[in-house]
Amino acid sequence: MSQDSESSVCNIFKDNSSKIINKLEMQIPSHFQIYSDMYKEYLHLLDDIFGTCIISEKEFFEKMNTDKNSMKNIKSFSDSLTDFWIKQIDNYDNYLKWYSQMRISGMKSYDQFVHIMMDSYSKSLSNFSTNFED
C-alpha cells in the first residue's frame, strides 16, 4: 500500500474490501461446482430409488394379476404429473432469470445513486475545506 492510500480512510477500506471481494469471486466456480455435484447426486439418488422399486414391484404385480387398463390409467396420470412438473421447472427457471435481472438492475441503480451521493459528498468536503482555509 502506498503512502497516499494510507492517508485516506476510503482507500484503506477500498483496498481491504477489494481483497475480500476478489477472494469471494475466485471461489465462485468451485462453489457452483460443489452445489452442482451435490444436486446431481441428489437427482440420481431419486432416480435410483424408482429403479430399485421396479424390481420389487414387478414380482408383486405379476402375482396380483393386475388389469392392463389400470396400468394405462396409472401411466396416463403419471404422464400428466410429469408434464405439470416439467412446466413448473420451466416456470421456476424463467422466474429465476427475471429475478436475477431485477436484482442486478437494482444493484446497478443503487451503484449510480452511491456515485451521485459520493460526488455530492466530495463537493461538500471540498467546499468545507475551502471555507476552512479562509
Side-chain angles (χ1 to χ4, degrees):
M1 197 171 349
S2 70
Q3 187 67 23
D4 290 339
S5 65
E6 289 179 7
S7 63
S8 168
V9 172
C10 287
N11 282 338
I12 292 169
F13 288 160
K14 169 71 171 103
D15 289 345
N16 287 326
S17 65
S18 291
K19 287 177 190 176
I20 292 168
I21 290 168
N22 287 334
K23 180 65 174 177
L24 290 170
E25 284 178 342
M26 287 176 15
Q27 292 180 345
I28 289 172
S30 69
H31 287 189
F32 275 121
Q33 189 62 52
I34 289 166
Y35 284 109
S36 175
D37 290 346
M38 285 190 315
Y39 189 64
K40 280 194 259 183
E41 193 60 36
Y42 170 73
L43 294 175
H44 289 287
L45 171 69
L46 289 176
D47 194 44
D48 192 45
I49 289 170
F50 289 108
T52 56
C53 175
I54 292 170
I55 296 166
S56 302
E57 105 174 346
K58 186 174 185 327
E59 184 179 323
F60 176 77
F61 283 108
E62 283 176 358
K63 287 180 182 177
M64 286 185 56
N65 221 4
T66 56
D67 180 27
K68 298 281 185 196
N69 284 331
S70 297
M71 290 309 228
K72 286 180 184 178
N73 290 333
I74 290 171
K75 181 174 178 3
S76 176
F77 177 70
S78 180
D79 288 347
S80 296
L81 286 177
T82 300
D83 291 342
F84 170 79
W85 281 109
I86 287 174
K87 288 176 186 171
Q88 292 302 314
I89 291 167
D90 288 340
N91 288 339
Y92 185 65
D93 185 55
N94 289 332
Y95 166 76
L96 283 178
K97 289 174 186 172
W98 167 82
Y99 180 73
S100 67
Q101 289 170 352
M102 181 187 66
R103 293 286 302 261
I104 290 169
S105 176
M107 286 185 270
K108 287 180 179 180
S109 294
Y110 183 72
D111 185 49
Q112 290 172 350
F113 169 74
V114 168
H115 280 273
I116 291 168
M117 294 305 295
M118 294 284 46
D119 286 343
S120 177
Y121 176 67
S122 280
K123 288 176 186 173
S124 296
L125 286 178
S126 178
N127 288 338
F128 178 73
S129 65
T130 302
N131 290 336
F132 189 64
E133 291 173 358
D134 290 339

